[in-house]
């Protein structure tokens, strides 16, 4: 059974069960990847997956059921299961199947061709050679990976919405392991977009540099320091705490920004933007996971918190219009809320300028254990970190074995300078990613020696 | 049977047509349901079927993996062909004979969750949620989840194995938020087991809700811990996450075989304090991380990883076993057919020692008692680990004093193993989801109370 036939079967069973308001959400993904160890292909993987979710509104409650198995029995089963689930719900949030009438942005689709398996293999083998060529301290365990992913998404509902989108991305990464004879150090670099544009030597060089730079690290004395957060680290922090901007979290009493719309929550140089159509994004979203149109908006403007991110249900509850941020974490998930390209706007100055301004302090380039050490409910974080000393306004010796701690909102308030080097998390290929320039913050608590 | 034997055999035959010396078909049909409650009202229900087939072939230490969401013979055979196309040799295997193997079920299920209606599950969830909410007037919000999974797998290999297993799990997770003076702190409790609805005869939903609320209340009234290096007593149960992160991942063959672990090449050597004996045991009846067979069809085992400080065994899957010249230990696992399986933990814990818990606390002049741990992570290459303390107390002059929040423990796996200098006697296991290259899988961590002589505690 193909998707069209499955869809017809679902419509038939929905009608037979007198369901008037329903939606069918479909995703399909094809991924091919190759992994190199020493000088040989270690693994080659090719996966095809699909998932379908049916949801329907009965007595003001939305029931969900999903499947990966397109058969006539499953078509009937997801309709019946969704009905049963809807009857068990007690949510006080209003329920919606989106109506026709939105105007969607148009984006130019690049013609994307998927590289042949042999091209991926050749690329990864060459990349692996480049990593070993960078430094004689590179040891086995070092890996190069090349992959491509293409995905499709479609939303069809009983109000006549029938939308589809597709995206594809090629990516590669180099994981370099170096040894100084006693300890091992690792470094990573990733590139995504079109393989033809990837510079193997540059990627290998960055991965090895990332590892080698940390050799000989030491800890620092515990205390309060002036800190420059690298763009990558600041984007990671923003990502962990992005849920506080969700209207759903706020309405459920799970956001520390509850009732703070219109208040100053950050330093006046901070402007935070959510852009579904960001120019360099690998995937652009003209509609959200409920079929509502998307648009670009500032969430924080010169320090002032302007709006939560909404979907149809939270917007109705708050008496506003949806911001087009309805989101399903996977095809089977209930509709929640997520951002798109979500970034702190660049201001001015290079990373070196920030070091000069810091004078003496710590440049944080890595943080670990975000899922455990950063609590989105309280805003508190205490994270294992690494980076470099900043001495006399310049980047100096490597630092590791320290933790940084504080509260996310305090950081946002205490940002004293923002650089111009905006960078998005390179490990996120979809439309939902965070970005930031490097930032300078004073008085960060560091635990070390 | 998930797939007919003749179709499986044809797929294996096709997959091995280009010179593979091993081929494997893994099929899966999983039902899972997650009921979530916010403020004691049923908020969302996710109810899904995950189904598909993963095919792997080996030639020496090279591996090719393919997967499809379809159970149709055409799609499965096309997937086998695609996998075969990644090699370019000629057939080495002449015949494939499959023998159906029955491993039995050492994790009996009494009441299959799918046979129970939503209302029954919701009643249990509400009981937990309301208990948490009513615990104290400072409890501002409670979220609760009821999860049940019915995971059916079939594995067939060119070695002749044809086996099936049905893995049923259930878990209840309650999260309580306490708020006071504009601050919020969260407490949680999330027990689970490879069990059916009978799980709730042992685990009273009220006690789950109460524990989450108790922890939130302790932490809302706590101050921040001053940062520094100090001795730490780590409580039993989820405290075992320290071994899971600091050492467990580094003993997985996926790191060891590639030389990416600090513990590679150290079998027979002392890698931990002599007080430490650590075990990975997938055969604990009805344990959250337990399996009858692993995802390559190897029966699960009780493997002593470290005995009195000496490294005895790694956790090994077939593919990495080839690279290491060692047999599988029954540790190959995958989240689903979409993920390429590899060596993973099951129920991993530090065994009971000889110290008394009271003596452990009494031995600390100034330090931290980490009563309850949060999650953590590790970089197996460098051994750097970190994890969060959910509920901690300052220890002064051998006595547990005021509660402290915001503590994170960091260090290097190889070092902390040597620094575990006291091991207590109240072994308990706790449940978690472990994420790694082959996806998110259920695992137990565990330990009795232990003492680490010195560790960096992040705080402010």
């Amino acid at each position: 059974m193909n998707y069209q036939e499955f869809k017809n079967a679902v419509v038939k069973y929905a009608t037979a069960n007198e369901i008037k308001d329903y939606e069918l959400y479909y995703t399909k993904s094809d991924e091919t990847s190759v992994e190199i160890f020493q000088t040989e292909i270690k693994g080659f993987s090719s996966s095809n997956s699909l998932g379908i979710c049916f949801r329907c509104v009965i007595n003001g409650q939305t029931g969900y059921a999903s499947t990966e198995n397109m058969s006539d029995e499953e078509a009937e089963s997801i309709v019946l299961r969704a009905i049963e689930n809807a009857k068990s719900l007690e949510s006080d949030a209003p329920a919606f199947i989106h109506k026709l009438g939105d105007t969607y942005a148009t984006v130019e689709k690049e013609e994307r061709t998927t590289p042949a398996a042999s091209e991926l293999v050749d690329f990864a083998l060459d990349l692996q050679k480049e990593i070993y060529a960078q430094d004689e301290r590179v040891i086995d365990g070092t890996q190069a990976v090349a992959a491509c992913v293409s995905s499709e998404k479609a939303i069809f509902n009983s109000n006549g919405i029938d939308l589809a989108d597709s995206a594809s991305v090629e990516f590669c990464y180099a994981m370099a392991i170096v040894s100084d004879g006693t300890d091992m150090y690792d470094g990573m670099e990733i590139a995504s977009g079109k393989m033809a544009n990837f510079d193997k030597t540059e990627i290998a060089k960055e991965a090895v540099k990332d590892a080698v730079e940390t050799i000989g690290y030491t800890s620092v004395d515990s205390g309060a320091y002036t800190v420059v957060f690298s763009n990558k680290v600041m984007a990671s922090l923003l990502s962990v705490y992005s849920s506080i901007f969700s209207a759903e979290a706020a309405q459920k009493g799970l956001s520390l920004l509850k009732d703070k719309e219109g208040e100053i929550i950050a330093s006046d140089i901070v402007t935070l933007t959510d852009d579904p159509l960001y120019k360099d994004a690998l995937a652009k979203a003209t509609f959200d996971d409920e079929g509502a149109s998307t648009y670009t908006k500032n969430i924080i403007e010169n320090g002032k918190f302007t709006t939560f991110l909404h979907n149809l249900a939270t917007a109705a509850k708050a008496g506003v219009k949806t911001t087009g941020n309805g989101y399903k974490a996977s095809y089977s998930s209930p509709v929640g809320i997520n951002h798109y390209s979500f970034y702190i706007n660049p201001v001015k100055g290079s990373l070196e300028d920030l070091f000069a301004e810091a004078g003496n302090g710590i440049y944080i380039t890595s943080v670990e254990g975000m899922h455990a050490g950063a609590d989105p409910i309280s805003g508190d974080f205490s994270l294992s970190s690494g980076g470099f000393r900043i001495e006399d306004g310049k980047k100096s010796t490597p630092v590791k074995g320290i933790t940084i701690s504080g509260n996310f909102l305090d950081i946002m308030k205490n940002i004293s300078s923002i650089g111009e080097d905006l960078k998005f998390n390179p490990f996120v290929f979809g439309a939902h990613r965070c970005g930031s320039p490097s930032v300078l913050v004073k008085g960060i608590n560091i635990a070390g020696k | 049977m998930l797939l007919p034997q003749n179709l499986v055999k044809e797929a294996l035959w096709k997959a091995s047509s280009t010179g593979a010396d091993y081929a494997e078909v893994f099929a899966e049909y999983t039902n899972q349901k997650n009921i979530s409650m916010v403020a004691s009202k049923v908020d969302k229900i996710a109810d899904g079927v995950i189904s598909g087939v993963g095919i792997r072939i080996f030639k020496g230490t090279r591996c090719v993996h393919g997967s499809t969401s379809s159970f149709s013979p055409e799609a499965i055979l096309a997937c086998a062909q695609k996998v075969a196309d990644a090699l370019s040799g000629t057939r080495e295997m002449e015949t494939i004979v499959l023998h159906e193997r029955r491993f039995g079920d050492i994790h009996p299920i009494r009441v299959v969750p799918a046979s129970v209606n939503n209302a029954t599950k919701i009643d249990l969830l509400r009981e937990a949620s309301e208990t948490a909410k009513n615990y104290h007037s400072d409890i501002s919000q409670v979220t609760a989840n009821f999860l049940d999974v019915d995971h059916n797998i079939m594995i067939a290999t060119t070695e002749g194995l044809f086996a099936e297993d049905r893995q049923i799990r259930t878990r209840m997770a309650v999260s309580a938020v306490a708020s006071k003076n504009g601050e919020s702190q969260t407490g949680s409790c999330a027990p689970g087991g490879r069990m059916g609805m009978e799980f709730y005869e042992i685990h009273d939903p009220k006690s789950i809700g109460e524990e989450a609320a108790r922890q939130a209340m302790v932490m809302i009234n706590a101050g921040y811990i001053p940062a520094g290096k100090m001795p730490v007593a780590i409580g039993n149960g989820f405290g075992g996450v320290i071994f899971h992160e600091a050492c467990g991942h580094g003993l997985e063959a996926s790191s060891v075989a590639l030389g990416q672990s600090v513990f590679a090449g150290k079998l027979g050597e002392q890698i931990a304090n002599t007080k430490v004996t650590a075990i990975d045991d997938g055969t604990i009846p009805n344990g959250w991380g337990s399996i009858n067979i692993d995802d390559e069809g190897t029966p699960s085992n009780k493997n002593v990883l470290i005995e009195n400080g000496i490294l005895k065994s790694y956790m090994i899957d077939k593919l990495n076993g080839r690279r290491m010249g060692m047999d599988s230990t029954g540790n190959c696992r995958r989240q689903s057919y979409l993920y390429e399986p590899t060596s993973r933990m099951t129920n991993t814990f530090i065994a009971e020692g000889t110290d008394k818990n009271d003596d452990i606390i009494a031995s600390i002049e100034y330090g931290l008692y980490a009563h309850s741990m949060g999650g953590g992570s590790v970089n197996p290459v460098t051994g750097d680990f970190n994890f969060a303390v959910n509920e901690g107390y300052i220890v002064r002059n051998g006595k547990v004093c005021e509660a402290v929040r915001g503590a994170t423990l960091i260090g290097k796996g190889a070092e902390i193993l040597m620094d575990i200098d006291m091991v207590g006697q109240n072994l308990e296991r706790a449940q978690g989801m472990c994420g790694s290259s082959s996806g998110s899988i259920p695992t137990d961590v565990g330990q009795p109370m232990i003492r680490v002589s010195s560790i960096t505690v992040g705080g402010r």
Side-chain angles (χ1 to χ4, degrees):
Chain A
M1 195 173 238
N2 64 28
Y3 177 58
Q4 191 55 49
E5 290 163 341
F6 185 81
K7 188 161 123 181
N8 293 342
V10 169
V11 170
K12 182 182 79 185
Y13 290 116
T15 310
N17 285 284
E18 297 178 343
I19 304 299
K20 291 190 182 61
D21 300 306
Y22 62 85
E23 177 200 272
L24 205 55
Y25 183 96
Y26 166 83
T27 59
K28 180 174 178 294
S29 168
D30 298 314
E31 177 168 355
T32 307
S33 71
V34 58
E35 190 181 349
I36 311 296
F37 176 67
Q38 292 169 338
T39 54
E40 309 263 305
I41 300 171
K42 171 178 168 272
F44 182 88
S45 176
S46 157
S47 66
N48 309 111
S49 61
L50 66 84
I52 299 159
C53 186
F54 176 79
R55 62 185 180 115
C56 58
V57 177
I58 298 172
N59 298 330
Q61 301 287 345
T62 311
Y64 288 79
S66 66
T67 190
E68 299 183 349
N69 188 3
M70 289 197 290
S71 64
D72 193 65
E73 304 84 76
E74 275 296 312
E76 182 173 22
S77 171
I78 56 171
V79 171
L80 297 178
R81 279 153 49 210
I83 293 171
E84 193 210 330
N85 291 333
K87 289 178 177 163
S88 298
L89 293 167
E90 306 159 333
S91 170
D92 52 10
F96 291 96
I97 298 296
H98 196 43
K99 292 199 163 52
L100 277 176
D102 282 10
T103 310
Y104 302 98
T106 48
V107 288
E108 240 176 85
K109 282 264 168 208
E110 250 181 86
E111 191 61 39
R112 288 209 183 265
T113 48
T114 312
S118 61
E119 289 176 69
L120 286 176
V121 168
D122 291 344
F123 184 92
L125 284 168
D126 288 348
L127 176 59
Q128 180 81 341
K129 272 188 213 137
E130 287 283 352
I131 308 172
Y132 276 85
Q134 293 300 320
D135 195 301
E136 56 189 16
R137 291 170 290 183
V138 173
I139 59 168
D140 287 350
T142 290
Q143 282 177 281
V145 170
C148 61
V149 185
S150 56
S151 59
E152 292 170 31
K153 169 165 104 174
I155 300 176
F156 165 82
N157 77 21
S158 52
N159 291 330
I161 281 187
D162 197 352
L163 297 162
D165 195 11
S166 64
S168 68
V169 61
E170 294 146 35
F171 66 93
C172 71
Y173 62 86
M175 184 184 125
I177 300 186
V178 301
S179 169
D180 60 0
T182 45
D183 288 319
M184 292 193 287
Y185 304 82
D186 64 337
M188 181 91 125
E189 177 65 3
I190 183 165
S192 58
K194 271 228 156 302
M195 197 180 285
N197 302 329
F198 300 166
D199 181 339
K200 290 186 259 280
T201 313
E202 196 55 34
I203 295 162
K205 204 164 124 188
E206 285 300 317
V208 173
K209 184 179 154 210
D210 191 29
V212 169
E213 267 192 337
T214 61
I215 293 179
Y217 66 81
T218 49
S219 186
V220 300
D221 290 329
S222 300
Y225 287 83
T226 295
V227 163
V228 174
F229 289 105
S230 73
N231 46 16
K232 205 178 85 188
V233 166
M234 195 58 202
S236 301
L237 276 175
L238 182 61
S239 170
V240 173
Y241 288 103
S242 63
S243 66
I244 68 174
F245 299 99
S246 151
E248 189 181 13
Q251 289 175 4
K252 289 179 176 165
L254 299 170
S255 164
L256 57 159
L257 291 181
K258 188 174 190 271
D259 303 325
K260 290 202 173 151
E261 268 170 311
E263 289 182 24
I264 300 292
I265 61 158
S267 156
D268 61 5
I269 52 172
V270 175
T271 291
L272 177 69
T273 302
D274 183 49
D275 186 353
L277 308 167
Y278 190 81
K279 56 185 189 314
D280 298 332
L282 295 167
K284 298 181 175 68
T286 57
F287 58 91
D288 73 2
D289 285 346
E290 299 181 286
S293 59
T294 63
Y295 63 96
T296 301
K297 61 269 176 192
N298 288 339
I299 304 303
I300 299 175
E301 216 164 82
N302 302 322
K304 189 165 126 186
F305 176 39
T306 53
T307 178
F308 281 108
L309 301 173
H310 285 281
N311 60 24
L312 291 169
T314 63
K317 206 168 167 182
V320 297
K321 279 188 73 176
T322 177
T323 57
N325 289 89
Y327 171 73
K328 283 158 84 84
S330 86
Y331 70 88
S332 59
S333 310
V335 174
I337 288 175
N338 200 0
H339 55 75
Y340 300 100
S341 285
F342 196 59
Y343 64 96
I344 295 173
N345 285 251
V347 180
K348 69 169 194 302
S350 64
L351 187 55
E352 287 68 30
D353 292 338
L354 290 179
F355 294 155
E357 192 183 333
N360 290 297
I362 310 284
Y363 172 43
I364 299 289
T365 56
S366 72
V367 284
E368 308 280 342
M370 285 288 195
H371 68 291
D375 177 5
I377 305 279
S378 64
D380 287 346
F381 62 85
S382 179
L383 296 163
S384 173
S385 308
F388 300 86
R389 286 178 185 78
I390 303 168
E391 286 167 345
D392 300 327
K394 293 205 164 52
K395 180 176 155 188
S396 173
T397 48
V399 172
K400 221 168 72 172
I402 61 170
T403 68
I404 55 166
S405 58
N407 186 284
F408 181 68
L409 285 188
D410 291 342
I411 296 250
M412 294 296 277
K413 279 185 196 131
N414 295 333
I415 290 178
S416 51
S417 287
I418 299 177
E420 61 194 7
D421 55 347
L422 171 62
K423 190 175 170 139
F424 285 89
N425 182 344
F427 290 94
V428 181
F429 308 126
H432 314 277
R433 54 183 197 157
C434 287
S436 176
S438 302
V439 302
L440 177 85
V441 187
K442 288 180 182 142
I444 297 285
N445 284 300
I446 290 185
K449 285 185 276 199
Chain B
M1 216 170 273
L2 283 178
L3 296 176
Q5 247 197 57
N6 57 358
L7 171 61
V8 173
K9 217 165 142 176
E10 201 182 337
L12 288 172
W13 185 249
K14 215 180 243 303
S16 58
S17 62
T18 53
D21 57 53
Y22 171 89
E24 169 194 281
V25 172
F26 173 94
E28 166 184 14
Y29 189 89
T30 300
N31 270 295
Q32 59 183 36
K33 191 170 238 182
N34 190 344
I35 304 177
S36 60
M37 192 171 257
V38 177
S40 299
K41 284 183 174 167
V42 183
D43 187 53
K44 284 171 179 172
I45 301 178
D47 175 337
V49 168
I50 293 160
S51 70
V53 176
I55 299 177
R56 281 200 307 169
I57 55 173
F58 299 167
K59 185 177 179 67
T61 52
R62 185 170 165 184
C63 171
V64 182
H65 175 252
S67 69
T68 170
S69 296
S70 175
F71 272 167
S72 78
E74 301 75 43
I76 291 168
L77 295 175
C79 178
Q81 186 62 52
K82 198 166 65 176
V83 167
D85 287 345
L87 297 182
S88 51
T90 52
R91 175 176 297 286
E92 286 186 356
M93 256 176 282
E94 293 185 349
T95 52
I96 298 171
V97 183
L98 294 179
H99 303 282
E100 195 170 332
R101 299 244 299 268
R102 291 271 167 212
F103 291 98
D105 192 346
I106 54 173
H107 314 289
I109 302 292
R110 199 142 47 76
V111 186
V112 174
S115 70
V116 173
N117 61 18
N118 283 345
T120 307
K121 297 172 186 173
I122 290 165
D123 285 346
L124 292 167
L125 202 52
R126 201 184 316 276
E127 209 179 319
S129 179
E130 286 182 348
T131 307
K133 177 69 194 159
N134 296 333
Y135 185 86
H136 194 279
S137 57
D138 287 344
I139 298 292
S140 59
Q141 187 55 290
V142 178
T143 59
N145 283 276
F146 189 104
L147 173 75
D148 60 75
V149 182
D150 188 345
H151 181 60
N152 294 274
I153 60 169
M154 183 227 78
I155 302 139
T157 75
T158 50
E159 291 167 346
L161 174 90
F162 186 95
E164 294 187 283
D165 195 22
R166 182 174 183 187
Q167 305 171 351
I168 290 179
R169 292 190 174 85
T170 180
R171 187 178 197 192
M172 185 185 282
V174 178
S175 194
V177 181
S179 301
K180 202 169 146 181
N181 306 330
E183 284 185 334
S184 294
Q185 288 287 314
T186 310
S188 58
C189 182
R194 182 170 168 153
M195 298 181 83
M197 296 299 289
E198 66 276 13
F199 179 79
Y200 299 97
E201 292 168 16
I202 308 167
H203 296 269
D204 179 8
K206 282 197 188 84
S207 66
I208 301 171
E210 193 174 292
E211 172 58 17
R214 183 198 63 77
Q215 199 180 80
M217 284 310 301
V218 169
M219 297 318 286
I220 195 69
N221 292 312
Y224 286 95
I225 184 165
K229 258 193 143 170
M230 59 188 86
V232 177
I234 302 173
N236 67 355
F238 207 75
V241 72
I242 191 169
F243 184 81
H244 176 102
E245 298 298 349
C247 183
H249 281 294
L251 296 180
E252 291 169 341
S254 48
S255 297
V256 177
L258 305 185
Q260 291 173 343
S261 164
V262 290
F263 302 113
K266 299 219 166 135
L267 276 183
E269 290 181 28
Q270 190 185 347
I271 62 162
N273 194 295
T274 53
K275 295 253 184 179
V276 177
T277 291
I279 294 164
D280 180 79
D281 185 359
T283 69
I284 296 169
N286 299 103
W288 174 247
S290 291
I291 47 179
N292 287 305
I293 51 171
D294 74 1
D295 291 332
E296 286 172 332
T298 308
S300 184
N301 276 309
K302 176 177 179 173
N303 296 306
V304 176
L305 305 172
I306 297 172
E307 193 171 12
N308 302 324
I310 308 291
L311 179 59
K312 291 286 181 181
S313 174
Y314 298 113
M315 291 168 277
I316 309 171
D317 60 294
K318 284 181 182 171
L319 180 64
N320 286 301
R322 286 180 171 211
R323 222 178 264 283
M324 296 159 74
M326 292 176 178
D327 288 336
S328 164
T329 54
N331 280 91
C332 189
R333 304 182 71 186
R334 66 203 301 174
Q335 177 182 330
S336 78
Y337 68 95
L338 285 173
Y339 293 80
E340 202 178 322
T342 192
S343 50
R344 303 289 295 271
M345 287 175 256
T346 61
N347 306 302
T348 314
F349 55 90
I350 295 177
E352 294 205 336
T354 53
D355 295 302
K356 296 216 159 46
N357 290 354
D358 291 348
D359 294 345
I360 295 177
I361 298 293
S363 73
I364 298 173
E365 196 177 315
Y366 176 81
L368 174 72
Y369 167 44
H371 175 78
S372 166
M373 302 298 301
S377 67
V378 67
N379 176 338
V381 174
T382 58
D384 292 325
F385 68 78
N386 66 85
F387 41 108
V389 180
N390 279 355
E391 183 182 347
Y393 299 84
I394 293 286
V395 180
R396 254 183 233 101
N397 304 321
K399 294 211 163 46
V400 175
C401 301
E402 73 275 15
V404 282
R405 58 167 90 146
T408 294
L409 308 184
I410 66 163
K412 272 182 171 302
E415 286 166 16
I416 196 175
L417 282 180
M418 288 295 183
D419 293 343
I420 298 174
D421 60 356
M422 292 178 92
V423 178
Q425 298 177 327
N426 58 342
L427 170 64
E428 199 178 282
R429 288 176 292 116
Q431 292 68 54
M433 292 301 294
C434 170
S436 186
S437 67
S438 66
S440 174
I441 57 166
T443 58
D444 259 6
V445 299
Q447 66 174 35
M449 184 190 281
I450 61 168
R451 187 182 98 139
V452 181
S453 56
S454 174
I455 192 165
T456 299
V457 178
R460 45 167 125 154

